Amino acid sequence: MTLDRARDDAPALRPRPRHRRGPAALGLVGAATLLVVGTLTACSPKPPGPDEAIDTLTKAIETGDFAAVEFAAGSGDAAAAAELRTATFAGVEPWVPDVERGEVTVPEDDPDSATAELTYTWDVDDSDTDWTYATQVSLARDAEDAEVWRVAWTPGVLVPDLQPTETLRVTRVQAQRGRVLGAGDQVIVEPRGVRRVGVDKTLVDAAGQEAAARALGAALALDVEAYVQRVAAAGPKAFVEAIVVRDGDPQYDVDALVATPGVRAVADTIPLAPTRRFARPILGTVGSATAEIVEKSEGAIAAGDLTGLSGLQRQYDALLRGRPGLTVEAVPADGVAVRQLFATEPTPGTDLRTTIDPATQTEAETILEDVGPASAIVAIRPSTGDVVAAASGPGGEGMSTATLGQYAPGSTFKVASALALLRSGLTADSPVSCPPTTSVDGRQFSNFPDYPSSALGEVPLRTAFAQSCNTAFISARDKAQQSALVDAAGSLGLVPDANLGFAAFLGAVPSDSDGTDHAASMIGQGRVLASPLGMATVAASVAAGATVTPRLVVDADAATATTEDDATTGASDGPTPAPAAATSRPHVPLTSGEADALRTLMRAVVTEGGGSFLQDTPGGEVMAKSGTAQFGDAANLQNHVWMIAIQGDLAVAVFVDVGDYGSTTAGPLLERFLEAAAG
């Protein structure tokens, strides 16, 4: 028998079930027959099974590219399969299933057919619960090419019992958002009543819709033309929101707004702080997810979801928003006989705990409400590092001046300069030279215009510090090299690369300064930068007798930030300043003896220097330091003004972007704050 003839006799070559044969049966089989079969087996490789074809199909279902799939007659083609997959799965985008080959069955009596199980796994959220199911697909070997297996394609291959007219739909139930808590777990942010004000296009005709949009836009001082276009572009039955007004907000007369035909106010609740201004640059806002947030979430957030848009609400959104409940349904074209395929219950969000004391924060914001330039008050508990207030005045236009501002700290930085001098061997009683002026490489430095003449000449370091003698600190610069200033600032917590669990900048001292730049560094000018949070940390470290790291978010390491970028840039509704260039150095620990000496110097500011107005402040002994830092061109110099203070277990920094002097502009604000804190 030749090989060609053997192929014509196809039944003789197909694998058959093997049966046990007795000796009589074996005896009937001739030796020649056994030889032929053995030869044919050796020469004819076993045709491939369906596994490769099934794997090709699973990949196609995952990717949507069916070009490599062989389809059975009447089952359509690659284009039709791709179209069905796209239409079926469109409602669950951007989810993509993971499809794997399951059990494959090849009947013994029909080795040219097969049935395979496909197991689907949909990772629908960040929980351990996935949407899983199995479908069946039939395959058959091609009649003319034994190497090819063809797929019998049906909608049921994608989803069990899926009908040709059915598609998938996902319904989301938003989870209850976590609250933001303050000191002692006092509630700061929780659901509060609001009214969404906008144009309801069902209430008026086209002409009335435009008129309503123009009237509402003008009343709210919006970009009128932009809002008119939004209303025109929305669907015929749309409600086009213009503003969300919290209940009781005296700034808006909602009743007057809705008096315009076509304008409507819809009651709702959203997470809000006690007042519109309360720590807003730090806490951030909550609202409907933007297209960018939806895209970056990779399916965790959908259009219309309530999500953090800025600040801590954005940074810790994954923690706060919880997990939505999901229902996946197969929906027919007529929308009647809807089948539920999968469902999960919503998981409430987790509360975010902070150290902000609501009463203290409110008092700080009240003090700053009439300050025109950018301003800030930051208060820290030295014993714990807890930030109890971080208020930014309205002049910052939404930026967190308190935690992100970068300004020359002026003479408040002399606390760090004094520490460097103490480490060089000086004491509070060591004599230093305080001339009216001093020159460095041709640049003249002087004291502030009203510097007392009685404190000029050879004076103790205590006096030079208390009266804020610039020339004394600059004259002593050789005893405190720039590297010593960097180390001293770090010992007091003023470091450029602190990771605090919230968007913050503490300070930066350049390590490569010499000449006039080093001289300027000695008095907190030149390229030295600090934030109000940073200078409050300096005061807190002096009070604690050890380096303090400010803490605003409790258990920040355990909380999950949305992204690292959000953690560093998302805390403000306004622009975030670029970080200052500085070299990070390991800080030298602050000793209790050094802190004692610094407290002596800061107390002298109150007993014999420019902070004498704080002597009678209720609440105990006050230690302080004022600061003024010039900026701008020579013809129009202006002053950043500062004052820092310690009283009991409270360290405070007050800053105003433009003022006269630290003691005269920032000082009264500090005094009011300390009086309020003392009760």
Side-chain angles (χ1 to χ4, degrees), residues 134-311:
T135 65
Q136 301 289 325
V137 62
S138 297
L139 301 94
R141 195 190 302 277
D142 187 86
E144 297 182 358
D145 188 345
E147 301 285 330
V148 175
W149 284 83
R150 295 191 175 276
V151 173
W153 178 252
T154 67
V157 174
L158 295 174
V159 177
D161 303 320
L162 187 72
Q163 300 304 306
T165 63
E166 288 182 318
T167 56
L168 301 185
R169 178 178 69 189
V170 176
T171 303
R172 300 167 64 90
V173 177
Q174 187 102 27
Q176 179 178 336
R177 192 171 181 86
R179 302 167 302 173
V180 178
L181 308 178
D185 286 345
Q186 299 177 72
V187 177
I188 293 177
V189 177
E190 63 180 340
R192 302 178 193 270
V194 298
R195 283 180 286 178
R196 299 182 180 275
V197 181
V199 172
D200 186 338
K201 298 181 72 172
T202 67
L203 300 179
V204 288
D205 59 17
Q209 293 165 10
E210 180 178 348
R214 290 190 179 280
L216 183 58
L220 296 174
L222 304 178
D223 183 332
V224 174
E225 293 303 324
Y227 184 60
V228 169
Q229 291 176 14
R230 280 179 53 208
V231 171
K237 298 182 179 181
F239 172 76
V240 186
E241 184 179 293
I243 193 172
V244 178
V245 180
R246 70 169 63 226
D247 290 350
D249 189 337
Q251 186 175 348
Y252 300 96
D253 186 345
V254 176
D255 291 339
L257 293 175
V258 299
T260 300
V263 176
R264 182 183 174 197
V266 180
D268 197 2
T269 60
I270 60 174
L272 292 173
T275 65
R276 179 178 179 81
R277 75 184 183 194
F278 187 96
R280 183 184 177 94
I282 293 175
L283 297 177
T285 58
V286 177
S288 295
T290 64
E292 180 184 5
I293 289 175
V294 171
E295 181 179 359
K296 289 176 65 176
S297 75
E298 298 181 347
I301 301 172
D305 280 1
L306 201 64
T307 187
L309 301 178
S310 61

Side-chain angles (χ1 to χ4, degrees), residues 366-452:
T366 300
I367 291 170
L368 297 176
E369 63 185 356
D370 295 326
V371 178
S375 58
I377 296 176
V378 177
I380 296 175
R381 299 286 183 206
S383 60
T384 60
D386 288 354
V387 178
V388 294
S392 298
E397 298 181 346
M399 193 189 87
S400 183
T401 307
T403 60
L404 291 170
Q406 297 186 23
Y407 306 95
S411 291
T412 56
F413 186 74
K414 285 175 183 170
V415 178
S417 302
L419 176 58
L421 293 175
L422 293 172
R423 287 174 173 174
S424 74
L426 297 186
T427 68
D429 297 322
S430 295
V432 292
S433 176
C434 178
T437 63
T438 187
S439 294
V440 179
D441 294 342
R443 178 182 172 183
Q444 183 170 283
F445 293 87
S446 61
N447 299 314
F448 66 91
D450 295 328
Y451 188 87

